[in-house]
Amino acid sequence: LTANILLMAKYDKPVVNGLMPQKVEMIPPVYIDEGVIVGSGSKLGPNVYLEKGSIIGADVVLEEVIVLGVRVGSGQHIEKDIVYRDRI
């Protein structure tokens, strides 16, 4: 997680490689691979990386988190973690 934060420090704006609902708040650094789905009302950042295939539900808060192509259910608040299994 610390290495990810250091690598992402060079991004002063969110990097989004796909479509994103307008009602998603992003606090840089945030890096989102293509093929990621993020639900409306979610808050991402700082220091968030979403790997290809990740599905983030509505109204989710992620801070200092890496999501490795898995699902995060609606309404969850996750901080300082690597998510490698579905959290529904």
Side-chain angles (χ1 to χ4, degrees), residues 24-67:
V24 172
E25 180 182 352
M26 289 184 271
I27 302 166
V30 173
Y31 191 96
I32 301 173
D33 283 344
E34 67 179 272
V36 170
I37 298 170
V38 179
S40 184
S42 292
K43 179 181 174 185
L44 309 176
N47 302 312
V48 169
Y49 169 68
L50 304 179
E51 183 180 65
K52 182 177 181 176
S54 298
I55 300 174
I56 310 302
D59 302 311
V60 169
V61 177
L62 301 177
E63 301 174 71
E64 297 188 16
V65 172
I66 300 169
V67 180

Side-chain angles (χ1 to χ4, degrees), residues 2-17:
T2 301
N4 185 64
I5 290 170
L6 292 173
L7 288 171
M8 290 182 56
K10 66 182 177 180
Y11 300 117
D12 59 347
K13 294 181 182 175
V15 177
V16 180
N17 295 306

